[in-house]
Amino acid sequence: MHILVVGLSHKTAPVAMRERVAFQPATIGDSLQAMRDLPSIAEAIIVSTCNRVELIACSRTADEAERELVHFMADHHEIPLEELEPHLFQYQGADAIRHLFRVSSSLDSMVLGEPQILGQIKSAYNTSVEHKSVGLILNRFLHKAFSVAKRVRTETEIASNAVSVSFAAVELARKIFDDLTNKTVLLIGAGEMCELAARHFVNNGVTKVLVTNRTFARAEKLAQEFEGSPIPFDTFHEELHRADIVLSSTGADEPVLTREHIAGAIKQRKYKPMFLIDIAVPRDIAPEANDLDGVYLYDVDDLQGVVAANLKEREKEVTKAEAIIEEEIGQFANWLAALDVVPTIKALRERFDEVRQSELDKALSSLSHLGDKERNAVKAMTLAMMNKMLHQPMTVLKKAQNGDNGSEFVDAIRTLFDLPSPDTGEDTTS
Amino acid sequence: MTISLLLFKATLLLYLATTALYLVDVVKRRAAATLPSRLLMLVGYLVHCATLLARYLELGHTPVTNLYESLSFFVWTVVGVFLLFELRYRLAVLGAFVAGSGSIFMAAGALIGRSGVRELPPVLDHWLFPVHVILAFLGNAVFALAFAAGIMYLVQERLLKSKTFNALYYRLPSLDMLDRINYSCLSFGFPLLTLGIISGSVWAEVAWGSYWSWDPKQTWGLITWLLYAAMLHSRLTVGWRGRRAAIFAIIGFLCLLFSFLGVNLLMDGQHAFSAFEGG
């Protein structure tokens, strides 16, 4: 059996093309059925997201199946083949396995390491299970892809280090305060980004939220959301020293916090550090405040700098992730190759013959009074017994070779008789 | 070759291997190397314990009478204190620093400081000798860790202020953790240093009939003690923490290092190794 992937992604096709080939969730059952009905396709999965559309299949005849999948994609969406084909990638065997492992590990995503893609593939797989368009091979393939993705996530740092500005702020705070529990956040003004960052802080242990706004009613409302306390805008400077983290985004033209305000607050705090995040443009906090001992002032550009650095850190992990994937391809390819009927029949015969030989030797050594003629008769009898017993399973296997469920018989036989996998390296096309 | 020398070499090799393993952890960021590094360091430490024990049995007194022995003893206390710290703070960077500088200290001691007497003058042969030495060295070891944490603090602080997100930024621990290490070192190190000075003074009375003789080591020890006392005081009252505390820890340790090594090597007095040679 061969594994195939045909599709397109944000790397090969513009959004205008991607939206034309997207499969609609409402009719996905019919689409799966149509794909499954293609003459050379044995099992089928359709992954359709805004960044990629992929047909995953397995078939006995790889090249034919590939052609059918390309035509299916074009016909199903009524796009001329010449227009579609330049955007398609087509993978078979080890390349197809590598492709799905990379995609589910988020190595192929627009934002490297983002976690959504794995969820999307899982739900595409579940849909195929519901519509009974997958069998032994794609079941095993997809589960393997999920476990590879998990390995990559835990064994590399591909998904660590924030790639959003608001989460980067939380990580920076951790580099200053270590633990965020019992820390106090002061929100000045109300912007969407400010609120989002505040929510991240609260989710990561911050317990106290102070809110101030020129319109006190808005401060009260926002404070309620965070179970914090509102502070009148006129007097918030007096409370500044209580804040470990300040998030500011007012619409003011002049800085709301001067260097002097902050110098006073930090002294009152006995130089316990303060982390100031200025999301406003024009800026709310005087930039010179960063020079004060124990004060760490970040504006939007600084935060974007962290995000860029974090992305670079993720890129460094790609090699590590790819090494894991190569290792797993080998394992899966071995399993797949073992599903071939001929080597299985051979292995089964060998296993039986092994048992026959060792039992025969044991028996003959305690029957030393037998002559050569008798010995040969005993030998012939064991051989005949073995052949008779193997006859029926072998006939079934040979017949199944040409049907869709042959792999299931092979897998069952290999498990029942504990047959070793043939060592075939990465070659899945054998 | 004596058993202690053989064990010494084994210790040195183990510490070098530990350094390499910690560096793999830090540079390649293979978290899988953390536990093996820690175990390897523990093994090195146990062999080091055996080294000192063998040396003690060979000599019949605590082996700190020449530079070679003293540095080895010093590294032994630093590694021991670090292993205790590791239980609370998981710090691969500090591990690489401790194992690395420890190996260098031991190798340097073995290269330049092998001479010196084996016999302890009878006047010094008193139970207060090991007590004084162990207290003083433990104090040194704790302050050595504070020094390392101080340097890491200053680097991380600078990176955060200047918004430089390089490899070090990702690998160094948080400012708060480094400051907490600084404070706990100070609160353990100061009593140890104090007791070290007091026990030395009592021992001096027993040996020479005077508690305090303004020997250069005593003078420098006192200066260091005053410095650390000021540091503790300002932290507790004015709240000097963070960068200032880190700078203080660095100056304090340099002072300590001078009273430990500089005085012995450069000046005469009861603590100089040359004093032993004179009998």
Side-chain angles (χ1 to χ4, degrees):
Chain A
M1 276 293 200
H2 308 273
I3 291 199
L4 298 115
V5 179
V6 168
L8 45 74
S9 73
H10 60 99
K11 289 196 173 152
T12 64
V15 65
M17 178 54 79
R18 298 204 301 273
E19 62 193 14
R20 284 170 75 191
V21 297
F23 287 85
Q24 297 313 313
T27 54
I28 193 78
D30 299 336
S31 309
L32 276 170
Q33 190 56 51
M35 182 174 159
R36 180 81 171 63
D37 286 343
L38 296 171
S40 11
I41 301 298
E43 302 178 25
I45 295 175
I46 298 175
V47 179
S48 181
T49 76
C50 52
N51 279 335
R52 59 181 70 251
V53 176
E54 311 208 359
L55 307 176
I56 306 167
C58 70
S59 162
R60 205 159 287 289
T61 46
D63 294 329
E64 240 174 274
E66 193 173 299
R67 230 180 358 264
E68 285 172 17
L69 288 176
V70 173
H71 280 104
F72 169 73
M73 191 86 121
D75 297 348
H76 197 82
H77 299 289
E78 292 164 4
I79 302 169
L81 197 60
E82 321 77 76
E83 199 183 329
L84 177 67
E85 219 169 359
H87 297 293
L88 288 182
F89 49 74
Q90 304 167 29
Y91 297 116
Q92 288 185 20
D95 292 334
I97 299 173
R98 181 177 300 108
H99 176 77
L100 186 71
F101 285 1
R102 294 194 70 221
V103 170
S104 36
S105 309
S106 195
L107 293 186
D108 201 45
S109 301
M110 216 177 241
V111 176
L112 189 62
E114 58 87 13
Q116 286 96 326
I117 184 63
L118 184 59
Q120 289 164 337
I121 295 178
K122 276 185 180 164
S123 85
Y125 166 67
N126 288 336
T127 309
S128 303
V129 172
E130 271 167 41
H131 291 96
K132 299 194 170 58
S133 69
V134 286
L136 175 84
I137 292 177
L138 288 194
N139 268 328
R140 182 75 79 103
F141 182 37
L142 271 285
H143 281 290
K144 192 75 194 174
F146 303 150
S147 80
V148 171
K150 193 174 168 204
R151 250 194 92 187
V152 167
R153 189 157 289 264
T154 50
E155 290 178 28
T156 74
E157 301 200 15
I158 197 109
S160 50
N161 297 320
V163 287
S164 73
V165 164
S166 50
F167 204 75
V170 174
E171 277 184 5
L172 274 167
R174 282 232 182 82
K175 278 285 183 190
I176 297 168
F177 301 111
D178 206 66
D179 186 5
L180 298 183
T181 22
N182 300 322
K183 293 287 178 283
T184 303
V185 169
L186 168 64
L187 275 161
I188 307 173
E192 209 176 309
M193 186 124 94
C194 221
E195 266 187 68
L196 186 63
R199 206 165 297 283
H200 278 317
F201 275 116
V202 171
N203 290 341
N204 282 279
V206 164
T207 36
K208 228 170 147 107
V209 180
L210 309 172
V211 185
T212 189
N213 199 300
R214 264 184 231 281
T215 328
F216 190 67
R218 290 191 67 182
E220 272 181 319
K221 190 171 159 277
L222 200 56
Q224 222 169 18
E225 262 177 57
F226 289 112
E227 293 172 30
S229 19
I231 303 172
F233 194 75
D234 301 331
T235 55
F236 89 86
H237 292 109
E238 289 158 28
E239 311 280 338
L240 189 57
H241 68 275
R242 288 168 62 196
D244 301 291
I245 298 154
V246 177
L247 276 162
S248 188
S249 72
T250 72
D253 294 331
E254 290 294 306
V256 181
L257 286 171
T258 63
R259 189 178 190 275
E260 285 64 42
H261 288 137
I262 294 156
I266 196 95
K267 201 167 171 195
Q268 237 179 320
R269 290 169 59 80
K270 287 189 168 179
Y271 299 97
K272 269 198 283 180
M274 281 179 97
F275 180 31
L276 313 177
I277 304 150
D278 187 350
I279 309 180
V281 181
R283 285 179 288 183
D284 276 345
I285 306 175
E288 310 87 71
N290 191 45
D291 304 335
L292 291 164
D293 198 6
V295 174
Y296 304 90
L297 169 59
Y298 279 71
D299 62 26
V300 174
D301 285 357
D302 298 332
L303 292 176
Q304 258 144 16
V306 187
V307 168
N310 285 349
L311 267 175
K312 271 199 194 125
E313 281 298 298
R314 286 189 174 195
E315 277 157 24
K316 284 185 200 158
E317 296 294 303
V318 169
T319 339
K320 245 190 250 179
E322 275 170 346
I324 293 174
I325 288 176
E326 288 308 316
E327 199 183 305
E328 299 279 356
I329 291 174
Q331 274 186 30
F332 183 74
N334 277 351
W335 175 79
L336 197 61
L339 293 183
D340 270 6
V341 169
V342 178
T344 305
I345 288 176
K346 194 166 158 256
L348 186 62
R349 248 198 102 81
E350 274 163 12
R351 169 56 45 94
F352 270 64
D353 202 49
E354 222 171 80
V355 175
R356 185 184 72 87
Q357 281 296 348
S358 85
E359 291 305 313
L360 188 65
D361 290 349
K362 249 188 264 167
L364 288 180
S365 71
S366 61
L367 296 172
S368 50
H369 58 278
L370 293 186
D372 277 352
K373 205 178 147 199
E374 288 90 345
R375 281 172 177 269
N376 284 336
V378 172
K379 260 188 211 169
M381 178 191 75
T382 59
L383 198 63
M385 277 171 75
M386 184 184 84
N387 285 338
K388 284 235 161 98
M389 277 194 260
L390 278 175
H391 178 74
Q392 176 64 9
M394 284 192 177
T395 320
V396 173
L397 272 179
K398 276 177 191 159
K399 232 189 241 166
Q401 191 169 11
N402 305 314
D404 275 351
N405 52 359
S407 308
E408 271 140 50
F409 280 118
V410 172
D411 193 47
I413 296 255
R414 287 205 171 261
T415 314
L416 286 174
F417 294 101
D418 190 24
L419 303 180
S421 292
D423 190 16
T424 52
E426 278 183 28
D427 183 17
T428 54
T429 50
S430 61
Chain B
M1 197 182 327
T2 58
I3 291 175
S4 76
L5 189 60
L6 195 70
L7 285 169
F8 178 87
K9 286 180 175 166
T11 309
L12 191 53
L13 280 177
L14 282 166
Y15 284 164
L16 283 170
T18 308
T19 313
L21 208 54
Y22 264 121
L23 283 176
V24 169
D25 184 352
V26 173
V27 177
K28 293 268 173 199
R29 291 213 271 166
R30 305 269 170 184
T34 310
L35 190 64
S37 315
R38 202 173 295 149
L39 289 177
L40 195 60
M41 187 181 251
L42 186 65
V43 173
Y45 182 69
L46 293 175
V47 176
H48 203 166
C49 291
T51 313
L52 294 180
L53 188 67
R55 187 78 177 160
Y56 176 83
L57 294 175
E58 277 164 27
L59 298 175
H61 60 79
T62 317
V64 286
T65 48
N66 64 15
L67 194 60
Y68 156 65
E69 292 169 355
S70 296
L71 284 172
S72 165
F73 199 84
F74 174 59
V75 173
W76 178 70
T77 51
V78 174
V79 173
V81 169
F82 172 78
L83 285 169
L84 284 177
F85 260 77
E86 269 262 284
L87 295 176
R88 183 135 163 229
Y89 310 97
R90 305 257 178 244
L91 284 173
V93 190
L94 196 56
F97 185 85
V98 166
S101 57
S103 313
I104 294 171
F105 269 120
M106 284 178 74
L111 285 175
I112 59 170
R114 291 292 288 281
S115 64
V117 284
R118 294 298 184 82
E119 296 291 309
L120 191 67
V123 69
L124 295 181
D125 199 1
H126 190 275
W127 62 268
L128 272 166
F129 175 49
V131 171
H132 167 62
V133 165
I134 288 174
L135 285 171
F137 273 65
L138 274 177
N140 288 1
V142 172
F143 285 127
L145 286 188
F147 167 77
I151 289 182
M152 291 201 277
Y153 188 97
L154 290 186
V155 173
Q156 182 69 304
E157 205 246 3
R158 189 94 309 272
L159 294 175
L160 278 165
K161 281 255 186 196
S162 63
K163 286 113 192 183
T164 312
F165 310 107
N166 58 16
L168 269 178
Y169 162 78
Y170 289 101
R171 286 161 182 81
L172 287 174
S174 68
L175 293 180
D176 183 69
M177 181 188 268
L178 292 168
D179 195 46
R180 271 186 292 142
I181 292 177
N182 183 317
Y183 184 51
S184 36
C185 285
L186 189 59
S187 42
F188 282 108
F190 189 70
L192 285 170
L193 186 66
T194 311
L195 290 173
I197 291 177
I198 292 173
S199 62
S201 161
V202 172
W203 180 35
E205 213 280 327
V206 174
W208 297 295
S210 135
Y211 284 105
W212 199 267
S213 53
W214 295 106
D215 160 280
K217 186 99 166 186
Q218 286 174 331
T219 313
W220 275 95
L222 189 64
I223 293 172
T224 314
W225 186 84
L226 286 171
L227 198 69
Y228 279 118
M231 186 168 151
L232 195 58
H233 177 78
S234 57
R235 185 185 263 274
L236 292 177
T237 57
V238 210
W240 273 26
R241 64 181 80 231
R243 197 169 65 93
R244 296 175 203 218
I247 293 173
F248 237 136
I250 292 167
I251 297 175
F253 183 69
L254 291 178
C255 207
L256 201 68
L257 206 61
F258 183 73
S259 30
F260 171 41
L261 292 177
V263 172
N264 289 32
L265 294 172
L266 304 175
M267 299 180 189
D268 282 339
Q270 291 304 337
H271 281 86
F273 298 127
S274 58
F276 291 124
E277 283 169 56

